[in-house]
Amino acid sequence: MRLLTHNMLSSNVKGVANGFPLRIQAEKVMEKTVEMNGDFLKKMFEKIDWKALVDASQAMGYTELPEEADSSMLDLDDFLNRFHHALLEIHLEEGALICPETGRRFPVSKGIPNMLLHEDEV
Amino acid sequence: MWYLCVFYHRLLDYRRPEVESLAQLFGAFEDTQNDEVRYQLQWKLPPHHHPDSPFHFVNLPSEQVARNIANRSILVKGMYELWGEGGSYEELKDSVLSYPDERKLPYLDSDSTFKITVDCFGKVISLEEQKGLILGLSYVPFKGRVNLRNPDHNFWLIEVDNYGVNNGLPPIVQKRIFFGREVGGADRKLIPTYQLKSRTYLGPTAMDAEMAFLMANQALATSGKLVFDPFVGTGSILVAAAHFGAMTMGADIDIRVVRDGRGPDCNVWSNFKQYGLPMPVGLLRADNNLPPWRPELKEVFDAIICDPPYGVRAGGRKSGGRKLLKGAVEPYIVPDDKRTDHIPSTAPYSLVECVHDLLDRAAKMLVMRGRLVFFYPVLREDDFTENHFPEHPCFKLISSSEQILSSRYSRVLLTMVKTGPYTDEIAEAARIKHIEFKENHVKWLEDGNLHSAVFSPADAQVTEAGDSKFGKDPKPKYRGKYV
Ligand SMILES: C[S@@+](CC[C@H](N)C(=O)[O-])C[C@H]1O[C@@H](n2cnc3c(N)ncnc32)[C@H](O)[C@@H]1O
């Protein structure tokens, strides 16, 4: 699971009001090089919750993202590289995503988060 | 400018919509004067041709656009700048001679190489006859050298004869001859390269390569875009989108399908690796009925493409099985000690609810002008019209292409464009509907049964007997929508 996906997910257990961002419990983190696509990054920047991305990268051991960011920074190569790396190149292979409100654990295995709810959570 | 567009005689209903989608992708509609967005091109048929004919004329803004469309398409055999046409070789000659020199001469000069191909529809002609026909073109002042392997310019002499009706093509009443310069054509080699037979990880409902490419074209998949499949299965639709350069993301309720596959080198990921395509940016296990997107997230996907779970064999499931089935009387509670390894039970997912969820999620998650492309099953007796297709205030239906699966069932590929924003009122209506579906789960299943039960990909055999659909059209013997 890349942090782009993490940034889009929340816990949707019945009754949860603030299921985002999910806390990351990292057991196995991997890095995989991905070709950079500037247009894609610029579009995604508008959709991303920046703070959640910064916190998630820290949980995965990457601390090079600035605490604050605005779209003017997208013209800086250095910033774009870091954003790209954090969003698409760091993978959570094994671990879990934890609901911030209930502590419900959504396991991540083989890079795939299991977001399916139990019958009594829907 | 008008181009001659010759199609493969396949998937007849899909041909014009594919060209029109690609026209959009390559900017053919950008010069539109008013704000009204266009999705359709101008088309004409040669005299006496049936709409199912492979021969069409299409009006496109430039040769570059025509070339881009043809080269990216799956169903355009060739797009041609027409230099002349006629009902006889004499008429053809007059027509070619009167075509302006300034259009012809740049392609005839002595520095260039060329090739002339003779193509006959409806009859086979010998090499000898072909040579004769080419020599008959001596009135065209070709100055370049012939190069059969890799010519700069490809010319085509296409004869459509007054053939019988049994060769799989619609009958042509009159002989017609075309002469033109090729500007582009489909790269059909893609299909054998990506055919399912060569795919390492396959499932019973994997989408065949040709259809997956058509779906990706309807969705305008291209570099820099994010494409989502909420019923990703083995990923075959996303493979096509990734081939065209899109970033892909997929979800499925079945963990064995989406995560485990058949081993470390036989799963959704390996289906991308196999073709050297970039991996999906995300795969997850999630239920389309209760998608886990954070509530503030919207307008993030450029396209959503899918083959939803319909029918007996691959019917949909949704979360909440035992609980929903038992009703509110005695809700099932998962015991705490079983929670970690608990496999949630699921309940059947009716077609109506599945489609409702799909449209509602897509309306929220697609960017404006983003596209939703999905299959919808129909009973052929329904004699369906567009009104029977699902509707949503945020979407405009721009094409529906039928593929007949058997004498009783068809599937229709629907292409919708998001034309309106997802407002709070629409969200509220969807929330109420969601609850209604849940509370009347059993009733909806029964109502939805008709549709979901009849549509089973297992029945995908072509039987021409008892063809009620063609009843109005007196017995065409060509293959029509079966192909
Ligand atoms: C017709 S198949 C699609 C196959 C896919 N196009 C492929 O290439 O393999 C439908 C898929 O939807 C999944 N499915 C069924 N119910 C679902 C739900 N409620 N949410 C998400 N996926 C679901 C099934 O597991 C199945 O893989």
Side-chain angles (χ1 to χ4, degrees), chain B residues 460-476:
Chain B
Q461 283 139 17
V462 174
T463 41
E464 290 198 42
D467 233 357
S468 61
K469 173 116 197 165
F470 287 147
K472 299 163 258 149
D473 207 352
K475 291 204 197 92

Side-chain angles (χ1 to χ4, degrees), chain A residues 11-120:
Chain A
S11 156
N12 58 350
V13 171
K14 192 165 117 191
V16 167
N18 291 303
F20 177 83
L22 293 156
R23 217 174 66 241
I24 295 181
Q25 219 171 61
E27 280 159 33
K28 184 173 166 204
V29 175
M30 277 168 77
E31 287 189 15
K32 298 178 198 166
T33 317
V34 176
E35 208 181 304
M36 186 153 111
N37 184 322
D39 292 342
F40 179 75
L41 290 174
K42 284 175 189 156
K43 271 197 324 203
M44 280 305 138
F45 183 80
E46 306 297 320
K47 309 290 170 192
I48 288 295
D49 182 303
W50 188 258
K51 174 139 187 4
L53 181 65
V54 174
D55 293 348
S57 0
Q58 279 168 3
M60 304 273 274
Y62 183 69
T63 53
E64 309 287 303
L65 286 184
E67 290 291 332
E68 310 271 331
D70 64 74
S71 54
S72 69
M73 296 164 81
L74 291 165
D75 296 329
L76 309 171
D77 279 351
D78 181 54
F79 174 77
L80 213 55
N81 284 330
R82 291 174 196 212
F83 177 39
H84 170 74
H85 183 70
L87 196 68
L88 297 170
E89 295 189 322
I90 313 173
H91 296 245
L92 181 64
E93 279 295 305
E94 302 292 330
L97 304 174
I98 314 291
C99 170
E101 211 171 285
T102 61
R104 159 72 146 96
R105 197 170 174 275
F106 296 93
V108 177
S109 78
K110 299 179 196 160
I112 294 180
N114 183 348
M115 303 305 294
L116 201 66
L117 300 176
H118 298 316
E119 320 48 343
D120 54 356

Side-chain angles (χ1 to χ4, degrees), chain B residues 205-207 230-237 252-254 286-288 307-309 316-317 349:
Chain B
T205 56
M207 187 58 64
F231 307 104
V232 69
T234 59
S236 53
I237 298 173
D252 201 287
I253 199 168
D254 191 337
D287 179 356
N288 184 58
D307 182 19
R317 311 287 302 172
Y349 196 15

Side-chain angles (χ1 to χ4, degrees), chain B residues 53-326:
Chain B
S53 158
F55 297 92
H56 296 248
F57 292 107
V58 61
N59 196 0
L60 294 169
S62 72
E63 176 163 333
Q64 192 55 49
V65 170
R67 175 173 303 115
N68 288 342
I69 292 173
N71 291 352
R72 159 97 186 233
S73 78
I74 296 300
L75 296 173
V76 176
K77 185 174 178 203
M79 191 80 86
Y80 308 91
E81 181 197 5
L82 196 65
W83 285 18
E85 61 175 313
S88 67
Y89 280 90
E90 293 73 50
E91 266 180 50
L92 177 71
K93 179 176 175 180
D94 291 344
S95 169
V96 172
L97 286 176
S98 64
Y99 193 65
D101 275 346
E102 69 267 22
R103 292 276 344 140
K104 291 185 290 196
L105 295 181
Y107 304 99
L108 299 172
D109 75 77
S110 55
D111 294 340
S112 65
T113 56
F114 73 99
K115 174 186 174 181
I116 303 172
T117 310
V118 180
D119 202 0
C120 261
F121 281 77
K123 66 174 185 190
V124 182
I125 63 164
S126 68
L127 277 177
E128 213 51 44
E129 282 173 288
Q130 293 190 21
K131 255 193 217 149
L133 290 176
I134 290 175
L135 288 175
L137 289 170
S138 57
Y139 55 85
V140 184
F142 293 105
K143 299 250 162 46
R145 275 171 300 113
V146 172
N147 178 337
L148 297 182
R149 282 185 162 244
N150 193 17
D152 298 331
H153 308 303
N154 266 301
F155 296 94
W156 289 73
L157 182 66
I158 303 171
E159 187 183 314
V160 194
D161 216 335
N162 178 7
Y163 45 69
V165 292
N166 286 325
N167 64 351
L169 291 165
I172 305 283
V173 185
Q174 257 178 17
K175 176 164 168 160
R176 196 90 195 147
I177 309 154
F178 304 100
F179 180 74
R181 181 177 61 86
E182 181 184 311
V183 301
D187 177 10
R188 295 281 297 187
K189 286 202 285 296
L190 278 185
I191 291 159
T193 307
Y194 282 93
Q195 66 180 330
L196 290 179
K197 265 193 276 172
S198 71
R199 196 77 48 93
T200 26
Y201 176 43
L202 273 181
T205 56
M207 187 58 64
D208 76 88
E210 181 177 32
M211 193 54 88
F213 283 122
L214 284 171
M215 294 170 91
N217 276 344
Q218 287 305 114
L220 316 184
T222 194
S223 169
K225 288 192 178 177
L226 183 59
V227 172
F228 179 62
D229 181 349
F231 307 104
V232 69
T234 59
S236 53
I237 298 173
L238 293 184
V239 163
H243 170 84
F244 292 131
M247 303 271 197
T248 59
M249 195 176 269
D252 201 287
I253 199 168
D254 191 337
I255 191 104
R256 292 159 308 169
V257 173
V258 69
R259 183 189 66 193
D260 304 337
R262 285 188 240 294
D265 285 310
C266 186
N267 49 41
V268 181
W269 306 114
S270 75
N271 280 349
F272 288 77
K273 197 160 91 188
Q274 178 184 357
Y275 303 109
L277 298 172
M279 298 289 162
V281 293
L283 286 178
L284 45 132
R285 181 198 202 185
D287 179 356
N288 184 58
N289 186 237
L290 290 162
W293 307 124
R294 71 176 149 95
E296 301 76 31
L297 191 69
K298 56 176 190 180
E299 308 204 345
V300 65
F301 300 126
D302 296 284
I304 294 178
I305 322 179
C306 61
D307 182 19
Y310 303 127
V312 185
R313 207 162 55 119
R317 311 287 302 172
K318 63 173 180 171
S319 314
R322 268 163 280 192
K323 185 182 176 197
L324 279 180
L325 291 176
K326 282 189 185 162

Side-chain angles (χ1 to χ4, degrees), chain B residues 360-361 364 422-433:
Chain B
D360 177 60
R361 282 307 89 190
K364 181 173 184 197
Y422 189 73
T423 60
D424 291 347
E425 294 79 65
I426 295 172
E428 180 56 16
R431 198 184 61 81
I432 292 168
K433 191 86 184 165

